[in-house]
Amino acid sequence: MGTSNWQNISYCVELIRRVAPSSVLDVGVGFGRWGMICREFLDVWQGRVFREQWTTTIEGIEVFERSIDDYHDFFYNRIYRTEAYDFLVTQKEQRKYDLIILGDVLEHFTKRRGDELLRSCLEISRYVLLNIPIGQDWPQGSEYGNEYETHRSDWNEADFQKYPVVEKKDVQGLHWPRLCNDAAARKPASLSLNRDEWLRGATWNG
């Protein structure tokens, strides 16, 4: 079941709360971390403690059927059991969100497809929160029978200079959360991108 490092959680929670989305799409649900976190800090922390009071729409995409368990249905309004590329690139005209979370997703696509996926997310969502390992030497093959866990591309800071990164932050330790990445070292990164900045042609200057 897909999971990831924990070191970026507090930083990402702060970003999510600042965006305050009414609708969220979690791409690559896996264990369900981001669905649970969004439900807690977008509804429960706003005083909407009980399920019938929740107002945030939280959806997810998960291609590996065995990752989805009964508890996911409690936190997510809906989980689409399909490939993210098809859902977000070929069917994007049907979608609209306030926040899309790509939690360790892009590296599982080829560079071309990953770039197309990110562009599509910016077209249909006000914000995109991107967590990704930066640099080379992140080998990973099929895990627990899930071929979609294979890493198919390396990403460097330069790959994101054309995108509208609205905030970045260096974090000590294994995980390096910010809203765009660094190629100088092998480290994970968190990036926040804004559609409005994207539409007016803004890019990240590092």
Side-chain angles (χ1 to χ4, degrees), residues 1-4 28-33 62 64 67 71 144 146 149:
M1 184 176 293
T3 185
S4 187
V29 166
F31 185 75
R33 169 190 294 177
E62 179 54 59
F64 190 58
S67 288
Y71 71 87
Y144 46 86
N146 182 3
E149 286 289 337

Side-chain angles (χ1 to χ4, degrees), residues 3 11 20 32 39 57 59 99 101 109 117 119-120 125 127 174 181 193:
T3 185
Y11 178 61
R39 186 62 72 195
T57 299
E59 298 182 341
L99 174 65
I101 301 174
F109 293 88
L117 185 69
R119 285 174 176 269
S120 291
S125 182
Y127 285 89
L174 173 65
N181 293 342
L193 303 99

Side-chain angles (χ1 to χ4, degrees), residues 156-173:
N156 297 311
E157 184 173 287
D159 295 320
F160 300 98
Q161 289 179 347
K162 58 191 172 186
Y163 291 109
V165 177
V166 296
E167 185 176 336
K168 62 189 181 194
K169 180 181 179 182
D170 293 342
V171 174
Q172 299 298 319

Side-chain angles (χ1 to χ4, degrees), residues 1-202:
M1 184 176 293
T3 185
S4 187
N5 296 325
W6 70 89
Q7 290 91 339
N8 65 337
I9 291 178
S10 61
Y11 178 61
C12 290
V13 168
E14 176 61 29
L15 295 173
I16 290 169
R17 282 176 51 79
R18 196 181 309 164
V19 172
S22 297
S23 57
V24 178
L25 178 67
D26 177 16
V27 181
V29 166
F31 185 75
R33 169 190 294 177
W34 297 113
M36 296 180 199
I37 284 175
C38 286
R39 186 62 72 195
E40 179 177 6
F41 291 101
L42 295 176
D43 277 319
V44 176
W45 268 59
Q46 302 304 314
R48 298 185 292 270
V49 176
F50 303 106
R51 188 173 189 175
E52 64 270 17
Q53 299 174 319
W54 296 345
T55 60
T56 307
T57 299
I58 302 175
E59 298 182 341
I61 304 173
E62 179 54 59
V63 67
F64 190 58
E65 189 73 27
R66 291 197 64 189
S67 288
I68 305 302
D69 209 335
D70 292 342
Y71 71 87
H72 284 85
D73 292 333
F74 187 78
F75 298 100
Y76 291 85
N77 294 92
R78 181 174 182 179
I79 295 178
Y80 300 92
R81 291 151 166 85
T82 186
E83 291 193 8
Y85 184 87
D86 292 336
F87 186 91
L88 290 167
V89 178
T90 63
Q91 304 175 38
K92 64 184 176 183
E93 295 81 7
Q94 308 170 35
R95 320 294 176 194
K96 192 71 68 175
Y97 297 95
D98 291 324
L99 174 65
I100 292 179
I101 301 174
L102 297 171
D104 296 294
V105 169
L106 290 190
E107 66 272 19
H108 299 285
F109 293 88
T110 64
K111 203 66 166 286
R112 180 184 63 82
R113 284 202 157 204
D115 204 50
E116 290 176 351
L117 185 69
L118 182 53
R119 285 174 176 269
S120 291
C121 288
L122 280 166
E123 291 175 10
I124 65 173
S125 182
R126 286 197 303 120
Y127 285 89
V128 175
L129 176 57
L130 171 64
N131 297 318
I132 187 169
I134 289 300
Q136 299 180 348
D137 196 26
W138 294 88
Q140 180 172 298
S142 176
E143 301 280 344
Y144 46 86
N146 182 3
E147 64 179 271
Y148 294 99
E149 286 289 337
T150 302
H151 286 185
R152 293 179 170 84
S153 57
D154 295 323
W155 295 80
N156 297 311
E157 184 173 287
D159 295 320
F160 300 98
Q161 289 179 347
K162 58 191 172 186
Y163 291 109
V165 177
V166 296
E167 185 176 336
K168 62 189 181 194
K169 180 181 179 182
D170 293 342
V171 174
Q172 299 298 319
L174 173 65
H175 215 86
W176 181 67
R178 48 185 290 182
L179 277 83
C180 255
N181 293 342
D182 197 334
R186 178 185 178 273
K187 47 194 172 185
S190 297
L191 301 77
S192 173
L193 303 99
N194 177 253
R195 182 186 62 199
D196 293 338
E197 296 294 306
W198 169 253
L199 292 175
R200 73 177 183 84

